């Protein structure tokens, strides 16, 4: 599997997965008709937007579900990590999958700069309705009960070991500079005082002028 | 130009039909756009309202919908989205837009009285809302803010127009609509003071004896009726919702917004400061300064322009600008707070067209500059917080500058300068 964090022009980040089933010529297509599931762990600083996922699901461009409740408004310090389950049908020995992700705000730090969120590879599961995977050694591919297709019906998936060809992902996100506190505080206060004074002055001048106007 | 002239000269009824048709076309477009695009045309909150309405239809609380932070009345209004069709709410908001335009026309006509140019001026004011791309976009995207804005204009309409021969009925209705608007959104609370003042007869000058001055400040019958009607309707509707949905209603509709700590980037001048302090300082001098400044401006605008019924709409418009500019969180949807009142005062700015273009350009340019750096932060993950703060100061500055210019060039009765008598403002 190759995992990457892709940013298309004018779009948010997508986690992308390029998965190749290394099979010998005799077993090509052996998984066709099965379902692949990726259970992606996201650290507290990264989240998925459930409303956005619903839209993608509705348009049948994605089949992904957060496992748990997601509060998209929380900063990193108050948020919890979350797992997202991405499902796709296998029709070939190679598949591309993706997941739209967003970064939370992180509290400001001295010097500002960037904060790093590490995103490891997901757990991979396979489910075949005809139970062809029952022949697999359970000590190597244990069974796990997970949602069949995002609904309430549960199925028995097999945990599939695989080789990750890419390094763990690192997402660097800008963070505010707490050293700016005084300059920002003083600057904001000054701007507000100047702006307020300008409006009061404008009102004063207008009222005075208004009273001096006479009928021509 | 000829064609534009001929188009504007169409009857107001024709314009109403065209305005409604344009909105229906955009609603249809939005429906098609949302089917194929990941970035929806429809406001994300519209889905929240619709989901809340679905819970109501199922006999549950609308607050089962996560992030539904509005009065249950909005969800009740959206019930036909479930029963009739998903676009009902957008059509309803578009109809409110049309009614608002009609109310503006009628109100401006009454303001200008028997002047020959009254009807033409009023039509221009109404058209400025009817064909405003922002108003079309807001209602057709399903933003519910058009509903409280409509109620506010309706409140002014009944306050200043003799719709019913009995003036008390007009004032009661004005108070009712104002109270309803406050129930939906807290910000119309600021309008209560100038509306109250506009019903008074204050003849105070430096020679007025103190006793006489104090007596003239006591509320008269009309003021008491307005206050009573507003408070009663607000309490009645709010208490009814509280009885039905309990503390959850109070928290989601009001308390959440008062205690809201949103440190994510937005247009507000207070954004970066709030982010750096995590909005957790027990004594925050900058926030206090902002709140005090806002209150002082709201008070002075009420005193200066609220006491005269002719200038009441301007008082409310300017107050709305201040409320938005000084808010700790500022997003585009708040712009409708003052944009919905602009048609009532647009006719009274004695400005050269070039100046108007310059001010509009300034407002848009400072927004675009902010959006550019926000894009850098959100999509390119660049460290631009300081630049975003600078742009938010610039945007605040442009809002304040534009407001000062509008105050400077405000001439009640100017009526786009088509006053044939050429008379200026009467000296007080």
């Amino acid at each position: 599997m190759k995992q990457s964090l892709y940013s298309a022009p004018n779009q948010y980040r997508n986690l992308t997965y390029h998965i190749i089933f290394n099979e010998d010529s005799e077993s090509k297509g052996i998984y066709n008709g099965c379902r692949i599931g990726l259970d992606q762990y996201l650290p507290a600083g990264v989240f998925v937007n459930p409303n956005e996922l619903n839209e993608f699901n509705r348009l049948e461009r994605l089949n992904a579900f957060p496992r748990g409740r997601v509060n998209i408004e929380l900063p990193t310090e108050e948020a919890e990590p979350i797992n997202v389950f991405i499902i796709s049908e296998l029709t070939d020995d190679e598949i591309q999958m993706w997941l739209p992700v967003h970064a939370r705000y992180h509290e400001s730090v001295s010097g500002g700069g960037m904060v790093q969120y590490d995103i490891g590879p997901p757990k991979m599961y396979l489910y075949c309705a005809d139970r062809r995977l029952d022949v697999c050694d359970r000590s190597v591919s244990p069974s796990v009960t997970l949602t069949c297709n995002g609904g309430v019906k549960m199925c028995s998936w097999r945990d599939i070991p695989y080789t990750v060809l890419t390094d763990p992902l690192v997402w660097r996100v800008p963070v505010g500079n707490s050293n700016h506190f005084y300059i920002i505080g003083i600057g904001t206060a000054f701007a507000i005082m100047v702006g307020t004074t300008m409006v009061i002055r404008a009102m004063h001048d207008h009222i005075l002028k208004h009273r001096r106007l006479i009928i021509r | 130009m000829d064609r534009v002239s001929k188009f504007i000269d169409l009857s107001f009824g024709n314009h109403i039909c065209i305005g409604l048709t344009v909105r229906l076309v955009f609603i249809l477009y939005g429906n098609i756009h949302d089917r194929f695009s990941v970035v929806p045309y429809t406001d994300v909150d519209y889905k929240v309202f619709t989901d809340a309405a679905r819970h109501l239809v199922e006999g549950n609380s609308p607050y089962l919908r996560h992030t539904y932070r509005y009065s249950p009345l909005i969800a009740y209004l959206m019930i036909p989205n479930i029963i009739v069709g998903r676009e009902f709410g957008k059509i309803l908001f578009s109809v409110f837009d049309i009614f608002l335009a009609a109310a503006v026309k009628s109100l401006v006509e009454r303001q200008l009285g028997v002047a020959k140019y009254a009807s033409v001026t009023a039509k221009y004011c109404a058209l400025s809302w009817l064909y405003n791309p922002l108003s079309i976009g807001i209602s057709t995207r399903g933003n519910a803010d058009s509903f409280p804005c409509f109620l506010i204009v309706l409140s002014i309409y009944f306050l200043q127009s003799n719709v019913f021969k009995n003036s008390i009925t007009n004032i009661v209705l004005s108070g009712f609509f104002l109270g309803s608007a406050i129930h939906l959104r807290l910000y119309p609370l600021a309008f209560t003071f100038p509306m109250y003042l506009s019903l008074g007869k204050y003849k105070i000058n430096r020679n007025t004896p103190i006793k006489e001055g104090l007596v003239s400040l006591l509320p008269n019958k009309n003021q008491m009726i307005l206050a009573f009607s507003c408070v009663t309707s607000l309490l009645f509707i709010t208490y009814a919702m509280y009885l039905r949905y309990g503390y959850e209603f109070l928290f989601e509709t009001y308390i959440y917004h008062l205690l809201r700590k949103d440190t994510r980037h937005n247009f507000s001048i207070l954004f970066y400061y709030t982010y750096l302090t995590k909005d957790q300082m027990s004594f925050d001098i900058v926030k206090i300064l902002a709140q005090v400044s806002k209150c002082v401006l709201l008070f002075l605008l009420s005193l200066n322009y609220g006491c005269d019924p002719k200038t009441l709409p301007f008082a409310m418009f300017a107050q709305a600008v201040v409320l938005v500019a000084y808010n700790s969180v500022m997003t585009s949807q708040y712009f409708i707070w003052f944009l919905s009142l602009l048609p009532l005062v647009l006719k009274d700015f004695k400005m050269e067209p070039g100046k108007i273009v310059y001010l509009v350009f300034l407002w848009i340019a400072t927004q675009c500059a902010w959006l550019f750096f926000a894009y850098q932060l959100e999509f390119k993950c660049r460290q631009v917080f300081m630049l975003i703060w600078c742009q938010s100061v610039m945007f605040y500055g442009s809002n304040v500058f534009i407001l000062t210019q509008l105050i400077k060039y405000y001439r009640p009765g100017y009526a786009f300068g088509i006053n044939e008598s050429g008379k200026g403002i009467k000296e007080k």
Side-chain angles (χ1 to χ4, degrees), chain B residues 138 143 145 149 185 187 257 260 262 266-268 320-321 323-325 327-340 363:
Chain B
I138 285 165
N143 188 321
D145 269 315
C149 290
R185 280 285 206 186
Y187 81 90
H257 294 285
R260 184 181 177 183
D262 194 345
N266 60 83
F267 287 119
S268 174
V321 173
L323 284 169
V324 173
N327 213 20
S328 55
V329 176
M330 193 205 300
T331 59
S332 303
Q333 71 182 85
Y334 294 167
F335 297 158
I336 194 178
W337 294 1
F338 57 80
L339 286 175
S340 59
W363 193 65

Side-chain angles (χ1 to χ4, degrees), chain A residues 19 21 31 33-39 63-65 67 84-90 95 97 123-129 131-134 136-138 140-161:
Chain A
I19 302 159
F21 292 93
Y31 298 121
C34 293
R35 215 173 273 164
I36 182 172
L38 298 179
D39 189 9
N63 196 5
F65 309 91
R67 291 169 63 197
V84 184
F85 198 50
I86 316 156
I87 302 170
S88 192
E89 303 291 331
L90 279 172
I95 187 168
M97 295 170 74
K123 280 183 174 280
M124 188 196 300
Y125 301 99
L126 280 181
Y127 166 72
C128 301
R131 304 181 67 172
R132 72 183 84 153
L133 296 178
D134 285 0
C136 298
D137 184 352
R138 284 182 192 276
V140 175
S141 304
S143 289
V144 176
T145 304
L146 293 165
T147 175
C148 290
N149 202 18
V152 294
K153 190 178 171 195
M154 305 300 272
C155 295
S156 178
W157 296 71
R158 302 301 290 271
D159 188 342
I160 306 295

Side-chain angles (χ1 to χ4, degrees), chain A residues 7 10-13 51 56 58-59 61 69 72-73 105-108 112-114 171-172 174-178 180-181 183-185 187-189 191-193 195-196 198-200 202-203 206-207 209-211 213-216, chain B residues 34-35 37-38 65-66 69 256 263-265 269-273 275-278 281 286 289-290 293 297 300-301 304-305 326 375 377-379 381-383 385-386 389 396 400 403-404 407-408 410-412 422 425-427:
Chain A
S7 173
N10 304 326
Q11 289 184 23
Y12 291 109
R13 298 292 197 279
N51 294 323
F56 280 121
R58 183 178 63 82
L59 293 170
R61 290 170 63 169
R69 199 161 170 147
I72 63 175
E73 296 169 332
Y105 261 62
H106 190 282
E107 66 177 351
S108 56
M114 310 291 265
W171 190 357
R172 293 170 58 76
V175 65
N177 186 347
S178 57
H180 288 162
F181 170 71
I183 192 170
I184 297 299
T188 303
I192 289 173
M193 283 193 293
T196 306
M198 280 174 62
V199 177
I200 294 174
M203 272 194 274
H206 182 253
I207 293 296
K209 188 176 176 184
H210 191 81
R211 286 197 185 126
L213 287 171
I214 56 174
I215 299 173
R216 283 186 241 120
Chain B
D34 289 351
R35 276 193 212 162
S37 172
V38 172
R65 177 44 163 103
H66 180 51
R69 297 190 178 112
Y256 169 83
T263 57
R264 291 171 294 173
H265 55 284
I269 190 176
L270 291 164
F271 143 66
Y272 195 24
Y273 176 79
Y275 171 42
L276 291 178
T277 59
K278 292 182 289 184
M281 289 176 66
V286 176
L289 175 68
S293 301
L297 288 179
L300 290 177
L301 284 167
N304 282 327
Y305 301 106
Y326 283 75
Y375 171 83
L377 174 70
E378 273 188 63
F379 291 91
C381 285
R382 297 215 167 106
Q383 172 48 287
F385 282 106
M386 189 57 118
W389 175 75
Y396 165 81
V400 164
L403 180 59
T404 59
I407 290 172
K408 182 179 174 185
Y410 177 59
R411 299 283 181 274
I425 314 260
K426 186 177 177 181
E427 182 183 18

